[in-house]
Amino acid sequence: MTSHHDITANAADTVQADHTLRGFIGYVMKRCFNSVQADLARELEALDLRMLTFSALIVVVDNAGLRQSELAQALSVERPNLVVIVDELEKRGLIKRTQVPTDRRAYALTPTAAGKELYHTALKVVQDHEAKILAGLTDEQVRTLRDALKSIQKSADG
Amino acid sequence: MTSHHDITANAADTVQADHTLRGFIGYVMKRCFNSVQADLARELEALDLRMLTFSALIVVVDNAGLRQSELAQALSVERPNLVVIVDELEKRGLIKRTQVPTDRRAYALTPTAAGKELYHTALKVVQDHEAKILAGLTDEQVRTLRDALKSIQKSADG
């Protein structure tokens, strides 16, 4: 039988209103990721970066010369959304977009010196953030977490 | 030193383009959650539910009579977004919205018989989905995963 009960305006009770959903790992993961994303967004804001512009910058610096289509694939981002991100990074002088000589329809992306500098600064910010959110866990727990997430993703994709 | 290397159009190489990002648990969690969400969305589509309308229905059935503001708080959803969700569930005859006698500005939400029926059907779908995505893990690994996600969320919120 399902438990039906009125909840009051009391905050402690309200927190329990989603008790059925909290039984699902998918929901716990969503709530956790929302908190991580909001917290990281605050840190990246200081560098005028969003999660996706940060991710795109990292991939372009690590893979100088990659094509826009490859960046879209690497980040699993839809093409129109990616164009907005690339435009923003180019406008800020962090990456350059050049036509691929062998394929006029393709654009290759390369980082500028400013892009490479921001890469290192931003990586440090995200590494510190990562250390903060993992502070309560042992290395062994982090390994299990990482393996579990990979296993779940594989099952969901399969 | 950062490794810079050109990537080709080869899919296996492209997958590695985000290797720096894959070092971050936050990124691994995001990729995992995206896959889980997409997979669950396909399952819920058969019931004409989205993640958020599903979540809202569950909380309203579990907490008959709760106020809209309490539902928004329980799901950590912004008020305007919640109104859209509640409108949709009401229009489909799954929940009812009634004025609270003691507070004219507040609305209490209660499930209809159809809402309660869909609650049970949808819960079964999500339980089966959850079993599928966790199939590769032991109970012990799932416990560690759940505890780790809670610890991370606490650190991110703190």
Side-chain angles (χ1 to χ4, degrees), chain B residues 64-140:
Chain B
L66 93 166
R67 298 180 183 201
Q68 274 193 196
S69 57
E70 292 171 325
L71 179 60
Q73 201 187 330
L75 297 176
S76 278
V77 168
E78 298 291 329
R79 204 74 177 263
N81 297 334
L82 190 87
V83 169
V84 174
I85 296 164
V86 167
D87 281 352
E88 185 181 328
L89 292 174
E90 193 184 28
K91 212 170 157 185
R92 290 179 57 189
L94 299 169
I95 68 171
K96 280 178 302 185
R97 196 184 332 215
T98 52
Q99 246 177 17
V100 176
T102 52
D103 180 357
R104 279 197 198 172
R105 288 164 311 171
Y107 284 92
L109 307 174
T110 44
T112 63
K116 286 182 200 170
E117 202 184 311
L118 185 57
Y119 168 100
H120 291 291
T121 310
L123 261 192
K124 181 73 174 61
V125 165
V126 178
Q127 277 157 358
D128 289 351
H129 175 262
E130 184 92 352
K132 185 183 92 173
I133 64 172
L134 298 180
L137 302 174
T138 65
D139 289 352
E140 178 62 27

Side-chain angles (χ1 to χ4, degrees), chain A residues 31-91:
Chain A
R31 297 298 299 250
C32 177
F33 181 68
N34 284 353
S35 292
V36 168
Q37 186 166 38
D39 191 50
L40 183 56
R42 276 189 294 271
E43 306 262 3
L44 286 175
E45 216 173 89
L47 303 174
D48 208 7
L49 287 171
R50 292 170 294 115
M51 297 275 280
L52 271 174
T53 48
F54 161 76
S55 298
L57 177 65
I58 298 300
V59 172
V60 172
V61 173
D62 278 346
N63 306 277
L66 93 167
R67 295 179 185 203
Q68 273 192 196
S69 57
E70 292 170 326
L71 179 59
Q73 202 186 330
L75 297 176
S76 277
V77 169
E78 298 291 329
R79 204 74 176 264
N81 297 333
L82 190 87
V83 170
V84 174
I85 296 163
V86 167
D87 281 353
E88 186 181 327
L89 292 174
E90 193 183 29
K91 212 170 157 185

Side-chain angles (χ1 to χ4, degrees), chain A residues 6 8 20 25 62 64 70 130, chain B residues 6 8 20 25 62 64 70 130:
Chain A
D6 281 8
T8 70
T20 298
I25 284 286
D62 278 346
E70 292 170 326
E130 185 92 351
Chain B
D6 281 7
T8 71
T20 299
I25 284 286
D62 278 347
E70 292 171 325
E130 184 92 352

Side-chain angles (χ1 to χ4, degrees), chain A residues 2-4 6-8 17 20 22-25 31-32 35 61-64 70 74 76 119 130 146 149 157, chain B residues 2-4 6-8 17 20 22-25 31-32 35 61-64 70 74 76 119 130 146 153 157:
Chain A
T2 310
S3 103
H4 295 253
D6 281 8
I7 64 171
T8 70
T20 298
R22 286 188 186 273
F24 295 114
I25 284 286
R31 297 298 299 250
C32 177
S35 292
V61 173
D62 278 346
N63 306 277
E70 292 170 326
S76 277
Y119 168 101
E130 185 92 351
R146 187 181 284 277
L149 292 173
D157 285 339
Chain B
T2 312
S3 104
H4 294 255
D6 281 7
I7 65 170
T8 71
T20 299
R22 286 188 186 273
F24 295 114
I25 284 286
R31 297 299 296 252
C32 178
S35 292
V61 173
D62 278 347
N63 306 277
E70 292 171 325
S76 278
Y119 168 100
E130 184 92 352
R146 186 181 284 277
Q153 186 174 356
D157 286 339

